[in-house]
Amino acid sequence: MELVMLIPRICLTFILVILLHSNAYASAPVKIVSVMYPPLTFDNNVPGFGEGMLRDIVTESFNAVGLEAEYELLPMSRNVWSINNHVSEACIGAMQWFRESGDEADVDCIDLVNLSFVAFYKVKHFPDGMNFSNLDDLKEFRFGNVRGSSSQRTLDEAGLTTDLTRNITLNFLKLDADRFDFAVAFRVTGEYLITELFPQRVAEFAFVPKSLLKMPLSMIFRKEKRVLKKGFVEGLNEIVRNGTYYSILERYYGKGRVPEDVVPEPLRNLTGMVSRVK
């Protein structure tokens, strides 16, 4: 008789376990912080693109496991503060921010893309093109960079002269005004901004082929956010396999123009990605 009475209770427990597992990541929108840095992150939806390459990747990854993402774009230093003070649950950015603040031990990251900082210039100043062997070769030139950029430490250590601006758009406007010789930016960012700011004069600008610095951009979680991180990884792997991830990259780089080294090695090895990366 006791066994008969236990059967409904056992069945109910079993059903609850299934429901909990199927909604393992279900919750309110995930609060994510990042910086405004086109075309990686926009503050709204831009026709023909989206909300930014990294925002789109993160949004689709969470959607794949039934989660909604909510974004706030802040200055770099406030990103670190927001994670450290548990205001945001995750950050789209560079681990370098947390290394420099001394908080690297408190966070984990999942690399989303590998990007290169390059030096953009006006062709009229270097009509034969420009290249260099090492950063010492560039000491005679002046560089424009964004205040707080992860690339600034490399420029400082090389002893390069820099003019710091408050945002990346202003950096290219000052390049056009001949305020300095080179504007430092991720390649995808510089190409996007030149097209947007100077649509009739794109041919007047170029970039040095050799990168100043290569850096992964990542989804960063506090270490105690293990369940959320696990769900994100599952979603990211899913959109890599089904082609969504690579289609997002092509939306911003152009079809057939995604550099091979943009895709992090762990993602390159997933089924479905190998055939897309040339």
Side-chain angles (χ1 to χ4, degrees), residues 42-183:
F42 295 126
D43 57 2
N44 51 39
N45 194 297
V46 175
F49 292 97
E51 296 184 338
M53 185 168 73
L54 298 185
R55 277 188 66 165
D56 291 350
I57 289 171
V58 169
T59 296
E60 292 295 337
S61 297
F62 276 126
N63 284 348
V65 292
L67 277 176
E68 181 183 349
E70 180 179 281
Y71 298 91
E72 184 175 14
L73 303 183
L74 298 172
M76 181 273 291
S77 61
R78 295 290 291 176
N79 275 246
V80 175
W81 178 90
S82 188
I83 294 298
N84 288 344
N85 289 276
H86 307 274
V87 175
S88 300
E89 297 171 273
C91 169
I92 302 174
M95 279 294 287
Q96 185 69 25
W97 302 346
F98 293 85
R99 294 189 189 103
E100 292 180 356
S101 68
D103 300 301
E104 182 181 11
D106 298 325
V107 295
D108 283 328
C109 71
I110 305 299
D111 291 342
L112 302 174
V113 292
N114 295 319
L115 297 183
S116 294
F117 281 106
V118 297
F120 285 85
Y121 61 89
K122 295 183 76 173
V123 173
K124 70 178 184 180
H125 297 310
F126 303 94
D128 297 324
M130 178 64 184
N131 218 328
F132 63 96
S133 296
N134 55 65
L135 295 180
D136 283 343
D137 299 337
L138 303 174
K139 287 187 175 179
E140 64 180 287
F141 303 110
R142 190 174 187 87
F143 290 78
N145 202 12
V146 177
R147 191 179 306 278
S149 169
S150 300
S151 62
Q152 187 58 40
R153 177 187 289 267
T154 296
L155 304 184
D156 288 342
E157 290 176 349
L160 303 184
T161 303
T162 55
D163 180 350
L164 299 179
T165 63
R166 66 178 180 270
N167 62 60
I168 191 63
T169 300
L170 182 58
N171 205 34
F172 278 83
L173 291 173
K174 292 177 77 171
L175 174 67
D176 185 50
D178 297 326
R179 296 283 295 276
F180 36 69
D181 302 294
F182 299 98

Side-chain angles (χ1 to χ4, degrees), residues 17 34 37 61 85 94 128 155 163 170 184 198 210-211 229 258 265-267 274 277:
V17 168
S34 191
Y37 201 96
S61 297
N85 289 276
D128 297 324
L155 304 184
D163 180 350
L170 182 58
V184 178
F198 319 111
K210 184 174 181 177
S211 65
K229 176 187 169 185
V258 180
E265 194 65 30
L267 302 184
V274 177
V277 180

Side-chain angles (χ1 to χ4, degrees), residues 183-211:
V184 178
F186 289 124
R187 174 184 165 182
V188 66
T189 295
E191 291 181 328
Y192 169 80
L193 284 175
I194 288 169
T195 301
E196 289 296 306
L197 296 172
F198 319 111
Q200 307 303 319
R201 299 165 45 217
V202 171
E204 295 180 16
F205 299 85
F207 65 88
V208 180
K210 184 174 181 177
S211 65

